[in-house]
Amino acid sequence: MKRFMAMLNRHKTKDPPPGQVLELAGQLCQHFQSPSPALEKLVGAITACKHTTYFLTNIHVVRACVLVHVRRGEHEAARRLLEGCQAEEKEELVQLWYEIHYQQVMEKQHTDFLTPLQKFRCRKRNPPPVSLCPEGLKNRNHPDKVRQELHRFAAEVTTNPNKEQREELAQDMNLQPAQVYNWFANYRRRQKS
C-alpha cells in the first residue's frame, strides 16, 4: 500500500501514469476483497487523483470503488462511477449495477437477502445504462411475427399440439421444439388465469 501511494505521488503529473501503477492498484484492490479502512484509503487516493478515469479501466479497481460507495450508502455515486468507467468486462459491470440496486432495496426493506422474484423485479425496474450495455439488454421474447403465428395456431388448430406439430412449428419459425413446447405451456397457463 505504501509503495502504491509513493508511486502515485511520484507519477501524479504524468499523463497517463505508467502501467505498473494501474497494475499495482488492481492487485491491491483484488487483495482487499472486503471493506476495510485500508481499502477505503486506497479508493480515496484513487478517486482523488486526476487519473481516476485511467484507474477505472481496471475491473478490480471499479469493484473496490463500488464496494466502498455502497458500504457508505452512496448508491448514486456508485452508479455514476459505473456509468463512466471504461473497463471492458461489461457483464461484470452489469452485475455490479444490479448489486448496487439489490443492496439499496435490502436497506430500504431492512432485510439481509432478496428472493429471486425480488431480484427479478429489481432488475426490471433498474435496467443498466447504455454505457454498460451498448448492444442493449437481451430480449427473451420471440419476434412479433413468431408470436402472431403461434397465437394463430393456438386459436385455429389447438392449444396443446402434439410432438410432430411442435417440431413442424419449430422448424417453420426457426425455434427449438422445447421453445415451442414452453410457449404453449405458458399460453395455456395464461388462459386459465
Side-chain angles (χ1 to χ4, degrees):
M1 179 77 160
K2 290 178 183 177
R3 185 170 146 230
F4 171 75
M5 298 303 263
M7 287 174 73
L8 190 63
N9 286 332
R10 195 172 335 120
H11 299 292
K12 64 182 170 187
T13 57
K14 291 189 178 176
D15 204 17
Q20 66 190 62
V21 178
L22 175 62
E23 189 178 320
L24 185 57
Q27 289 171 358
L28 285 170
C29 288
Q30 198 173 8
H31 176 72
F32 299 120
Q33 289 293 319
S34 58
S36 65
L39 182 64
E40 292 212 16
K41 183 178 177 185
L42 177 64
V43 167
I46 289 170
T47 54
C49 79
K50 74 174 195 170
H51 302 297
T52 304
T53 54
Y54 174 75
F55 285 108
L56 293 179
T57 60
N58 184 301
I59 190 66
H60 303 298
V61 173
V62 172
R63 192 181 310 108
C65 291
V66 166
L67 183 68
V68 167
H69 283 304
V70 168
R71 182 169 177 258
R72 292 178 185 161
E74 301 168 351
H75 302 288
E76 186 60 36
R79 286 192 291 271
R80 278 195 316 269
L81 185 136
L82 277 179
E83 288 174 356
C85 79
Q86 299 297 315
E88 294 184 12
E89 295 84 354
K90 297 298 182 187
E91 285 183 22
E92 197 164 341
L93 294 176
V94 169
Q95 190 56 44
L96 281 170
W97 177 266
Y98 290 139
E99 291 295 332
I100 293 168
H101 288 90
Y102 296 159
Q103 188 64 38
Q104 199 168 9
V105 170
M106 286 189 295
E107 288 173 10
K108 189 183 278 187
Q109 295 179 356
H110 306 290
T111 185
D112 293 335
F113 69 94
L114 296 178
T115 66
L117 179 61
Q118 290 171 314
K119 287 183 176 184
F120 172 79
R121 288 177 177 160
C122 186
R123 289 191 303 272
K124 286 295 182 187
R125 288 186 195 118
N126 305 291
V130 176
S131 62
L132 299 182
C133 296
E135 70 283 347
L137 292 176
K138 292 179 183 172
N139 186 353
R140 295 179 183 220
N141 296 334
H142 300 299
D144 287 338
K145 186 177 178 182
V146 170
R147 281 198 313 267
Q148 288 171 358
E149 189 61 31
L150 291 170
H151 277 285
R152 186 196 63 71
F153 188 90
E156 295 176 5
V157 182
T158 180
T159 60
N160 199 358
N162 62 32
K163 185 177 181 179
E164 290 174 5
Q165 291 171 318
R166 288 194 306 266
E167 287 175 355
E168 189 176 319
L169 282 169
Q171 190 173 14
D172 291 346
M173 291 179 236
N174 199 22
L175 298 172
Q176 297 295 318
Q179 290 176 296
V180 174
Y181 177 86
N182 288 334
W183 188 90
F184 277 100
N186 290 332
Y187 178 81
R188 290 190 301 272
R189 202 173 298 121
R190 285 191 298 268
Q191 295 306 310
K192 283 182 184 176
S193 63

